[in-house]
């Protein structure tokens, strides 16, 4: 770890972290503000949902229509896209650029000619990615919790909310590790932002298609989204060690491989 | 015997379609200003990037101050300064922030004093944002950052690109004075005149290989001029037999063009009495010197 790189990166990524956190927090709280209106108009809403194509609810990860009327079910169905997709896009874009920007910006010629090892540069930047993701998740989880507490009409399963938040954090870290891995494989330095965003979208799309198409349910396992249990209203909702292991083992392997590659990478400028 | 500042042994770097460098060997002694010259694409920057461990050698090895460039890269970089050919410092920083950022890696003593001295020497406004700086000013910034920690070895790659003559002269004076205080300089360039002005010895690289390592004095003695003479009538036939024309000349209409390495007085005496309508004498390009020497 190198203090100079770490502090420099923290500072240069602060605005982006702030903007993303504000946007996601706003989307979550604004959506939760609609919960009461949703409850008050439940008959109309049920009628409206009944005319929607089959699979629309599964698309949002909802297995039973009544789940939508519980505060946690509403939170999970409506905020999943913000937390799971936008948050993952933030994580992968941040991590896929953090090392690579030194190459396509040609600043690596300075940074790597100063007395710092590649390992120190790698861990300092990785540290910033982890701290930013933790920051985003902490603020958005607190915002989600406050929204739930404010909007709830009946008690809900706080533990299920926290488990879902933990899965979300692990998903973000997984995408960050994937972004980092992709960036160290790039030989001709150029930004890979579009590719990173596209990858998140494609993996989310595979997950949703596999949810609404029983014949394709196997394909969902290609996507990390499959390993997030969205059925928070289920009374049997528990933390699943296999899912936790899936995210941590794959993230660790991706980070470890990225480091191995970066330590021996030819930096072309 | 002193450890050489740079010791490159049979160093090879191949990548993709690019030639890279091939079994390159050379030695730079401590305290000298060593020129490294060759046309664009000859392998100069590749050699430097292997020395700095931005690139890994395919074969062979390089040592700086006795340390291996791959294994001891961090230790080497603590004692080395580097001026890259294209200066692209962090565009969102101010010049001062960039210099402080650089100094923070070295834990450089008296960095502030040095930053003030050098920014004044090179007329650089430290408060300006790097994205607003001209390429010449970015080059100055790149030069200043390489001196912050008083390196024992300075590696420079095309350092004069973008610098005006006054700044070039200040930079050369700085190199000379730091060299007197013991700093070794590895000076890579495709401009022969820059190398001639500063260096005692020069390595000539062509197509990834060292063609020759010569003392600058020897090169000077082989002073070459590119001469074009236009005659009022046809080109006289008796010029070809003169010494200094060994490599021949080209004739276009009434004009002849040649690289001349002989004695200037004898050329002038030969030309007396000839009906000359125009004549130009200029420095040959490096490529022309290569053609002259190594054909």
């Amino acid at each position: 770890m190198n203090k100079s790189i770490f502090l420099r990166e923290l500072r240069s990524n602060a605005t982006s972290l702030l903007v993303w956190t504000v946007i996601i927090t706003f989307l979550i709280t604004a959506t939760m503000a609609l919960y009461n209106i949703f409850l008050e108009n439940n008959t109309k809403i049920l009628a409206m949902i009944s005319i929607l194509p089959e699979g629309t609810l599964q698309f949002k990860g909802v297995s039973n229509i009544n789940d939508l009327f519980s505060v946690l079910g509403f939170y999970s169905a409506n905020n999943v896209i913000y937390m799971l997709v936008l948050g993952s896009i933030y994580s992968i874009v941040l991590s896929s650029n953090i090392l690579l920007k030194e190459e396509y910006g040609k600043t690596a010629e300075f940074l790597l000619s100063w007395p710092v090892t590649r390992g120190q540069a790698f861990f300092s930047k990785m540290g910033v990615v982890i701290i930013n993701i933790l920051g985003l998740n902490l603020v958005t989880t607190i915002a989600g919790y406050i929204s739930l507490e404010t909007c709830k009409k009946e008690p809900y399963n706080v533990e299920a909310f926290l488990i879902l938040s933990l899965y979300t954090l692990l998903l973000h870290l997984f995408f960050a590790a994937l972004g980092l891995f992709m960036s160290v494989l790039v030989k001709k330095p150029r930004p890979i932002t579009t590719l990173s965003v596209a990858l998140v979208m494609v993996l989310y799309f595979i997950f949703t298609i596999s949810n609404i198409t029983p014949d394709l349910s196997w394909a969902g396992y290609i996507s990390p989204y499959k390993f997030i249990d969205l059925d928070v209203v289920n009374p049997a909702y528990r933390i699943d060690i296999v899912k936790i292991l899936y995210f941590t083992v794959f993230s660790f392997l991706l980070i470890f491989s990225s480091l191995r590659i970066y330590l021996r990478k030819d930096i072309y400028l | 015997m002193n450890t050489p500042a740079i010791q490159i042994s049979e160093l090879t770097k191949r990548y993709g379609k690019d030639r890279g460098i091939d079994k390159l060997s050379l030695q730079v002694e401590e305290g000298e200003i060593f020129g490294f010259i060759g046309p664009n694409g000859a392998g100069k920057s590749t050699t430097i990037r292997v020395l700095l461990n931005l690139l890994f050698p395919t074969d062979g090895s390089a040592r700086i101050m006795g340390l291996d460039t791959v294994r001891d890269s961090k230790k080497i970089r603590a004692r080395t300064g580097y001026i890259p050919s294209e200066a692209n410092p962090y565009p969102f920083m101010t010049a001062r922030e960039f210099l402080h950022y650089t100094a923070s890696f070295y834990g450089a003593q008296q960095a502030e004093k040095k930053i003030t001295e050098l920014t004044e020497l090179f007329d650089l406004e430290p408060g300006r944002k790097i994205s607003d700086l001209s390429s010449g000013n970015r080059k100055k910034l790149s030069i200043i950052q390489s001196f912050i920690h008083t390196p024992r070895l300075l590696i420079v790659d095309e350092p004069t690109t973008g610098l005006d003559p006054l700044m070039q002269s200040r930079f050369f004076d700085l190199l000379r004075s730091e060299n007197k205080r013991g700093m070794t300089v590895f000076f890579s360039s495709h401009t022969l005149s820059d190398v001639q002005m500063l260096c005692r010895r020069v390595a000539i690289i062509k197509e990834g290989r060292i063609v020759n390592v010569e003392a600058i004095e020897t090169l000077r003695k082989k002073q070459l001029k590119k001469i074009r003479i236009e005659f009022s009538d046809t080109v006289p036939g008796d010029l070809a037999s003169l010494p200094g024309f060994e490599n021949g000349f080209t004739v276009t209409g009434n004009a002849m063009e040649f690289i001349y390495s002989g004695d200037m007085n004898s050329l002038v005496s030969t030309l007396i009495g000839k009906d000359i309508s125009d004549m130009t004498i200029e420095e040959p390009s490096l490529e022309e010197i290569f053609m002259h020497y190594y054909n």
Side-chain angles (χ1 to χ4, degrees):
Chain A
M1 186 76 101
N2 177 282
K3 194 176 148 198
S4 297
I5 299 177
F6 181 77
L7 294 177
R8 181 74 248 166
E9 283 297 338
L10 263 191
R11 208 182 312 164
S12 65
N13 286 297
T15 313
S16 150
L17 173 66
L18 185 71
V19 170
W20 279 87
T21 308
V22 166
I23 290 174
I24 297 177
T25 305
F26 171 77
L27 289 170
I28 291 171
T29 48
T31 307
M32 290 308 287
L34 298 174
Y35 177 63
N36 279 336
I37 304 169
F38 190 81
L39 278 188
E40 285 160 16
N41 297 286
N42 61 347
T43 355
K44 285 181 203 163
I45 285 161
L46 280 172
M48 193 179 78
I49 291 173
S50 67
I51 59 166
L52 290 175
E54 204 178 330
T56 309
L57 288 178
Q58 283 94 328
F59 186 82
K60 284 173 166 267
V62 178
S63 52
N64 183 338
I65 196 164
N66 292 317
D67 292 352
L68 276 178
F69 294 96
S70 79
V71 71
L72 193 56
F74 183 86
Y75 170 86
S76 159
N78 290 294
N79 287 326
V80 84
I81 190 103
Y82 310 139
M83 284 304 290
L84 297 191
V85 179
L86 286 185
S88 299
I89 288 176
Y90 167 74
S91 307
I92 200 169
V93 169
L94 171 68
S95 72
S96 65
N97 266 301
I98 204 152
L99 283 170
L100 200 57
K101 68 184 175 187
E102 303 276 2
E103 292 173 47
Y104 63 74
K106 295 181 187 289
T107 48
E109 207 157 21
F110 289 107
L111 182 69
L112 297 180
S113 72
W114 296 332
V116 59
T117 63
R118 297 244 184 132
Q120 286 173 323
F122 181 93
F123 283 116
S124 310
K125 285 175 179 260
M126 192 65 222
V128 172
V129 170
I130 292 171
I131 283 187
N132 279 13
I133 292 174
L134 284 175
L136 175 84
N137 277 269
L138 185 69
V139 174
T140 50
T141 303
I142 291 172
Y145 177 73
I146 294 171
S147 303
L148 286 166
E149 289 294 316
T150 316
C151 299
K152 71 176 181 189
K153 300 288 175 210
E154 293 165 9
Y156 67 97
N157 186 352
V158 180
E159 194 185 325
F161 165 72
L162 291 175
I163 293 169
L164 178 63
S165 301
L166 176 66
Y167 285 148
T168 309
L169 170 67
L170 293 175
L171 178 80
H172 292 170
L173 292 173
F174 170 84
F175 273 115
L178 186 61
L180 201 68
F181 182 69
M182 283 159 55
S183 77
V184 296
L185 294 179
V186 173
K187 288 231 162 88
K188 205 173 177 181
R190 58 182 178 274
I192 52 165
T193 311
T194 316
L195 179 69
S196 309
V197 174
L199 185 66
V200 173
M201 300 305 287
V202 166
L203 290 173
Y204 184 67
F205 185 70
I206 290 173
F207 161 69
T208 51
I209 292 293
S210 76
N211 264 2
I212 57 178
T213 319
D215 288 349
L216 290 175
S217 66
W218 57 269
Y221 290 98
I222 298 168
S223 166
Y225 286 101
K226 186 74 176 177
F227 296 86
I228 291 200
D229 189 355
L230 292 170
D231 195 12
V232 276
V233 181
N234 188 338
Y237 193 86
R238 292 282 180 277
I239 196 158
D240 184 343
I241 291 301
V242 174
K243 291 185 169 78
I244 302 281
L245 278 176
Y246 166 86
F247 286 116
T248 46
V249 168
F250 274 99
S251 301
F252 178 79
L253 284 177
L254 284 167
I255 292 170
F256 181 71
S257 312
S258 305
L259 176 65
R260 288 287 301 258
I261 296 168
Y262 188 63
L263 289 180
R264 294 291 305 179
K265 186 182 181 183
D266 280 331
I267 307 289
Y268 296 108
L269 300 158
Chain B
M1 197 176 144
N2 283 348
T3 313
I6 300 175
Q7 171 92 58
I8 302 176
S9 317
E10 300 273 299
L11 189 67
T12 299
K13 178 66 190 172
R14 287 189 207 99
Y15 40 76
K17 289 177 195 162
D18 294 320
R19 186 190 306 113
I21 48 175
D22 189 26
K23 293 188 176 166
L24 190 144
S25 298
L26 64 86
Q27 186 165 313
V28 178
E29 301 306 333
E30 201 179 344
E32 74 173 324
I33 304 185
F34 187 90
F36 190 49
I37 193 157
N40 292 330
K44 301 190 298 293
S45 294
T46 303
T47 308
I48 287 175
R49 284 173 183 163
V50 173
L51 290 179
L52 293 164
N53 197 221
L54 287 165
L55 301 175
F56 286 82
T58 310
D59 204 4
S61 67
R63 300 183 84 79
I64 290 183
M65 293 170 252
L67 300 165
D68 185 86
T69 53
V70 175
R71 273 201 321 271
D72 308 310
S73 164
K74 187 182 170 185
K75 276 187 201 161
I76 288 173
R77 283 186 256 136
R79 302 167 195 184
T80 309
Y82 171 49
I83 306 173
S85 61
E86 281 179 57
N88 292 292
Y90 299 88
F92 51 85
M93 292 185 190
T94 62
R96 184 183 286 112
E97 280 171 341
F98 176 69
L99 294 172
H100 283 151
Y101 188 47
T102 307
S104 71
F105 286 87
Y106 294 101
Q109 298 291 310
Q110 298 179 315
E112 194 58 54
K113 192 172 159 233
K114 197 110 191 192
I115 289 170
T116 311
E117 270 173 25
L118 291 167
T119 47
E120 279 171 9
L121 177 70
F122 285 104
D123 280 340
L124 184 74
E125 288 175 47
R128 286 188 66 186
K129 209 168 179 187
I130 292 172
S131 56
D132 296 335
L133 295 180
S134 65
S135 62
N137 278 329
R138 283 182 205 191
K139 193 73 180 197
K140 291 178 194 172
L141 189 56
S142 183
I143 291 171
I144 295 169
Q145 64 83 33
S146 73
F147 280 95
I148 279 184
H149 57 297
T150 322
R152 278 177 61 190
L153 167 70
L154 184 71
I155 298 175
V156 295
D157 193 2
E158 309 288 356
T160 54
T161 320
L163 284 187
D164 62 49
L166 176 66
M167 288 306 144
Q168 203 169 311
S169 145
R170 285 186 191 174
F171 172 57
F172 284 0
D173 287 345
L174 180 65
L175 281 184
R176 286 190 193 100
S177 69
E178 290 296 320
N179 176 249
K180 272 186 194 152
R181 290 162 60 176
M183 183 179 78
T184 308
V185 182
F186 186 73
F187 190 101
S188 165
S189 177
H190 64 258
T191 317
L192 188 62
S193 54
D194 286 353
V195 175
Q196 278 177 329
M197 240 186 283
L198 283 166
C199 307
R200 190 173 64 80
R201 285 195 311 143
V202 59
I204 300 171
I205 180 172
K206 184 185 175 190
E207 295 176 357
R209 286 166 177 263
I210 296 291
V211 187
N212 206 358
V213 179
E214 282 201 84
I216 276 292
E217 205 50 42
T218 319
L219 267 185
R220 276 218 183 89
K221 280 180 187 157
K222 289 177 184 171
Q223 192 83 271
L224 297 174
K225 295 289 170 204
K226 183 182 174 183
I227 301 178
R228 186 180 181 278
I229 308 170
E230 199 174 321
F231 296 92
S232 303
D233 205 351
T234 50
V235 175
D238 59 341
L239 289 174
S241 56
L242 283 174
F245 283 83
E246 295 85 357
N247 286 299
F249 51 84
T250 54
V251 174
T252 321
N254 289 347
M256 68 186 295
E257 200 174 286
F258 52 95
I259 301 289
Y260 188 70
S261 57
D263 177 42
M264 233 358 124
N265 290 317
S266 55
L267 175 69
V268 173
S269 332
T270 312
L271 292 174
I272 289 172
K274 307 276 192 264
D275 194 2
I276 296 169
S277 61
D278 194 14
M279 181 169 175
T280 54
I281 302 177
E282 57 187 35
E283 293 291 326
S285 72
L286 197 59
E287 282 73 12
E288 286 164 332
I289 295 174
F290 281 134
M291 295 295 284
H292 182 83
Y293 278 135
Y294 305 109
N295 255 349

